[in-house]
Amino acid sequence: MIRKSQLALAIAALISAPAFAAVGFDANVEMDTTYQNNKRGASQGGRVELNAFSKADKGGGFVAGRASYMAGKGGTVGVDDMWVQIGNSAGDIKLGRFEAADLFPTGKDTIAEDGGAPSGYRTNAFRGRTSDAHAALTLNAGGGVGFELGLMAAVKNVGIRPVVSFGMDGFNAKVGFESGKNAAGSTVNGAGITVGTTMAGTGLNLSYGSGKTTAAAAGSVGVKGSSLGLNATMGAAGVGYIMDKTGSAKENIFYAAYSLPLFDTGATITPAASYSKADNETKRIGLRVRVNYAF
């Protein structure tokens, strides 16, 4: 939660930091109308996102920054991303509020019914976008090979997250692990891999994560979890499947969405549907229509 004055100061700092660099602004609005079964009924949500960004290149290096302000339909306001990045073609370091490399991308998922009972494990406990201190060092080895070392530090939310990536000719892969203590004080250790490719205009992605969480209480037993995800994006359409496992409990999640243009304006309307069923839980069905307009 931030005040308007804090947002103004953040944007002013972003504008002044990379001296003489051009500053860009963009914004978009999303509005969701959702229906969910199991007596959850219909609801409407949405938000406006305002972004300010800039980058200055000089002497073989660069400084870049971004600030994203979010205003929710329910009256909430806050910061989504706010970071500064310093480096050159060989590597860089990013500091602030952001998300590091994604080891479990879900593709086009405007709604994914997740009961949350078997939460699984998607290698994102220390990925970022929190108010805690966060930094990521990225190195470019050449030949499509890269390395990212993410570090998070707070009183309890402390973790390390190295990721190696490779990409070339329509193929990309990332593998990494994370270890630390989350905000609840529980120890988290796990690893994940994601592989993607593009064939005949269709993007395919397969991801897997496996980890163990041990509660802070003395003598507590660790809980093992894993997640398997498969999704495909074909132009404006997308489908996906996720299987979450926690201990012996399992949940299967299916989702699909299709984006349609609105009057050649650049805006889109996206109908989406999702179905999930967890062990010892009733099935969950969700339908959503999302309107997105960038301006």
Side-chain angles (χ1 to χ4, degrees), residues 2-285:
I2 62 170
R3 299 177 184 270
K4 292 181 180 179
S5 58
Q6 291 176 302
L7 173 67
L9 288 172
I11 294 178
L14 176 61
I15 294 173
S16 61
F20 310 112
V23 181
F25 294 92
D26 64 31
N28 65 84
V29 58
E30 272 187 1
M31 187 64 66
D32 296 335
T33 301
T34 305
Y35 169 78
Q36 296 170 293
N37 73 333
N38 293 344
K39 299 181 180 180
R40 292 174 293 169
S43 62
Q44 190 179 73
R47 89 291 184 278
V48 174
E49 179 184 44
L50 172 64
N51 303 300
F53 48 90
S54 185
K55 183 177 181 181
D57 296 272
K58 194 170 184 179
F62 71 88
V63 177
R66 182 180 181 91
S68 298
Y69 167 76
M70 304 280 281
K73 178 178 176 291
T76 58
V77 295
V79 170
D80 197 28
D81 283 342
M82 186 177 288
W83 50 260
V84 63
Q85 188 176 23
I86 306 166
N88 55 31
S89 59
D92 61 72
I93 185 167
K94 183 183 284 189
L95 304 168
R97 180 184 171 93
F98 61 94
E99 285 187 316
D102 192 355
L103 289 173
F104 204 92
T106 51
K108 201 174 186 69
D109 63 335
T110 54
I111 184 169
E113 282 288 298
D114 189 346
S119 56
Y121 179 80
R122 303 183 186 180
T123 328
N124 58 8
F126 305 107
R127 188 184 171 201
R129 194 171 279 170
T130 74
S131 59
D132 302 313
H134 188 207
L137 171 67
T138 300
L139 301 175
N140 302 313
V145 179
F147 173 75
E148 178 188 86
L149 177 63
L151 297 170
M152 189 171 290
V155 176
K156 290 184 177 180
N157 209 26
V158 181
I160 183 171
R161 191 176 185 267
V163 175
V164 177
S165 61
F166 174 77
M168 65 177 297
D169 298 331
F171 173 84
N172 64 84
K174 297 185 184 77
V175 60
F177 73 89
E178 58 183 3
S179 179
K181 286 189 176 181
N182 62 21
S186 300
T187 300
V188 181
N189 292 288
I193 183 172
T194 181
V195 178
T197 186
T198 302
M199 298 186 300
T202 299
L204 302 173
N205 197 91
L206 177 66
S207 304
Y208 179 75
S210 178
K212 183 177 181 180
T213 301
T214 304
S220 60
V221 178
V223 178
K224 293 183 178 180
S226 65
S227 293
L228 173 70
L230 175 65
N231 61 76
T233 304
M234 304 146 284
V239 295
Y241 165 73
I242 298 172
M243 181 180 68
D244 287 331
K245 292 181 68 176
T246 301
S248 59
K250 181 173 66 175
E251 179 177 24
N252 292 289
I253 305 168
F254 301 87
Y255 55 91
Y258 189 87
S259 297
L260 301 164
L262 281 174
F263 311 116
D264 238 359
T265 60
T268 59
I269 182 168
T270 304
S274 179
Y275 168 89
S276 73
K277 181 66 172 67
D279 291 344
N280 302 316
E281 299 283 346
T282 58
K283 63 183 179 182
R284 289 175 174 247
I285 296 173

